[in-house]
Amino acid sequence: MFKTNRINDYVLEIDGGKVGQVGWQHKTLAMFDQHRDSDHHRKDLFEKGLKDAKDGGHPAFFGGDCFDAMQSRNDPRRARGSNKDEKHKYINYIVDEATEYLEPYAKVIIAWFMGNHETAILRNLDFDLVAAVIGKLKDRTGHKIEQMGYSGYLVYKWDIKSSNRGKNIIWVHHGYGGNAPISKGTNHVGRRAAAYPDADIIVTGHTHECWSMPHAMERLTRGGNVYKQVQWHVQIPSLKDETRGKKGSGWAVEKGFTPQVNGYGWLKFERVAARNLVNIVPAQPELVLENI
């Protein structure tokens, strides 16, 4: 459905299609930390986001930790009874279950990033969960989902006749560190803006926190023209609700985690008015949150 071009391991180009008149908008579904095989997984939100992407003809990507995958034999977080699967072939089961569930939505998924839960399985069991599901989905649907690493660039190429200020770029990183209960990770905005100035949108997950924040920068063209660039920073919430079935025990309780909002995000680009120019800029991301 969506044409992609793999520039290298770190950069994926996406054909964004034709650009409309001023006010035209392009949306991409971003989902992080689904933890599909956990009893705490919010299947309702996961399904709603994928269905909306499919029905609306919007591309989607997974930002890592689609799997919980904490029930393998040597995982210190293992706790039988906290996961849907009690079957003997645990890893086979979660791969097959995810493949079966995602098959109807596979063609809208353009990229799938690794998270720390997937890299832990790769490191400890020499098995790539993401590659396994992507391979099975390609066999079933003929659609190739591009597997990315822990971070990378999504570069949007537009079908336009006149000039543009270059392609639009999303920088994706699964995330790192603790959940920062005071700052919620917003203190990373300035540092990331300095490190990744070419990105229009910087999006992360991992901490299960939730916010979006604009960051303005003054830029200078080679011709000496000064302009302002607004870069959006987005923290996508998780689809794992640790408060479900909470009885005063478990991993989240021991770590002192507090209740968090669940949901996903839409990353947006839109055409704005500009003289003799097709100007496409990042719009404020839309966070779709649980309806409690």
Side-chain angles (χ1 to χ4, degrees), residues 138-202:
K138 187 174 186 298
D139 289 341
R140 292 190 179 199
T141 68
H143 172 69
K144 181 183 179 184
I145 300 170
E146 293 289 344
Q147 181 174 1
M148 305 295 286
Y150 204 86
S151 68
Y153 286 100
L154 301 179
V155 180
Y156 288 75
K157 180 180 70 173
W158 311 112
D159 182 3
I160 51 179
K161 294 181 179 179
S162 57
S163 61
N164 184 48
R165 281 182 179 165
K167 299 174 182 178
N168 292 98
I169 299 168
I170 298 174
W171 184 72
V172 183
H173 193 290
H174 173 67
Y176 46 85
N179 67 344
I182 304 300
S183 70
K184 297 186 182 297
T186 57
N187 56 319
H188 291 299
V189 167
R191 184 172 65 86
R192 288 171 181 161
Y196 308 101
D198 294 322
D200 294 288
I201 301 172
I202 290 179

Side-chain angles (χ1 to χ4, degrees), residues 17 41 60 89-90 125 133 142 159 198 221 233 246 255-256 268:
H41 169 61
K89 295 181 179 179
Y90 169 60
L125 300 181
V133 177
D159 182 3
D198 294 322
T221 68
H233 295 248
K246 194 171 183 179
K255 291 296 181 181
K268 301 178 179 181

Side-chain angles (χ1 to χ4, degrees), residues 201-239:
I201 301 172
I202 290 179
V203 58
T204 56
H206 179 66
T207 63
H208 297 201
E209 294 291 355
C210 167
W211 48 263
S212 67
M213 180 184 296
H215 180 84
M217 297 180 286
E218 184 174 275
R219 304 299 296 271
L220 181 68
T221 68
R222 291 185 181 274
N225 295 316
V226 177
Y227 68 96
K228 181 168 64 177
Q229 174 186 340
V230 175
Q231 185 185 69
W232 278 96
H233 295 248
V234 194
Q235 178 71 41
I236 302 293
S238 80
L239 293 177

Side-chain angles (χ1 to χ4, degrees), residues 9-247:
D9 288 346
Y10 194 47
V11 181
L12 178 66
E13 185 180 71
I14 298 104
D15 183 352
K18 291 184 178 181
V19 174
Q21 300 300 314
V22 171
W24 166 92
Q25 193 174 82
H26 184 281
K27 297 170 60 175
T28 299
L29 174 66
M31 285 186 159
F32 284 68
D33 302 282
Q34 298 98 316
H35 297 270
R36 271 198 49 77
D37 51 298
S38 168
D39 279 346
H40 303 297
H41 169 61
R42 289 295 301 268
K43 183 179 178 180
D44 55 336
L45 292 170
F46 189 46
E47 190 165 344
K48 182 181 186 305
L50 289 172
K51 187 177 186 301
D52 287 347
K54 182 180 178 180
D55 292 346
H58 306 297
F61 72 87
F62 294 165
D65 284 357
C66 185
F67 293 100
D68 199 60
M70 295 200 303
Q71 308 307 316
S72 58
R73 184 178 298 278
N74 296 317
D75 196 318
R77 301 165 297 182
R78 185 186 192 205
R80 288 301 187 191
S82 67
N83 193 281
K84 295 176 184 175
D85 173 48
E86 300 293 339
K87 300 183 184 302
H88 178 61
K89 295 181 179 179
Y90 169 60
I91 298 298
N92 297 75
Y93 173 81
I94 62 175
V95 167
D96 291 342
E97 193 275 338
T99 302
E100 189 73 26
Y101 182 81
L102 291 172
E103 184 177 351
Y105 307 107
K107 291 186 179 181
V108 304
I109 306 170
I110 55 173
W112 191 328
F113 289 80
M114 300 284 280
N116 54 291
H117 284 248
E118 287 92 6
T119 58
I121 293 296
L122 182 60
R123 181 173 60 252
N124 295 318
L125 300 181
D126 299 322
F127 187 80
D128 191 330
L129 284 166
V130 174
V133 177
I134 285 176
K136 283 178 172 287
L137 287 172
K138 187 174 186 298
D139 289 341
R140 292 190 179 199
T141 68
H143 172 69
K144 181 183 179 184
I145 300 170
E146 293 289 344
Q147 181 174 1
M148 305 295 286
Y150 204 86
S151 68
Y153 286 100
L154 301 179
V155 180
Y156 288 75
K157 180 180 70 173
W158 311 112
D159 182 3
I160 51 179
K161 294 181 179 179
S162 57
S163 61
N164 184 48
R165 281 182 179 165
K167 299 174 182 178
N168 292 98
I169 299 168
I170 298 174
W171 184 72
V172 183
H173 193 290
H174 173 67
Y176 46 85
N179 67 344
I182 304 300
S183 70
K184 297 186 182 297
T186 57
N187 56 319
H188 291 299
V189 167
R191 184 172 65 86
R192 288 171 181 161
Y196 308 101
D198 294 322
D200 294 288
I201 301 172
I202 290 179
V203 58
T204 56
H206 179 66
T207 63
H208 297 201
E209 294 291 355
C210 167
W211 48 263
S212 67
M213 180 184 296
H215 180 84
M217 297 180 286
E218 184 174 275
R219 304 299 296 271
L220 181 68
T221 68
R222 291 185 181 274
N225 295 316
V226 177
Y227 68 96
K228 181 168 64 177
Q229 174 186 340
V230 175
Q231 185 185 69
W232 278 96
H233 295 248
V234 194
Q235 178 71 41
I236 302 293
S238 80
L239 293 177
K240 183 179 184 181
D241 188 352
E242 298 280 8
T243 64
R244 283 195 166 188
K246 194 171 183 179
K247 298 178 180 178

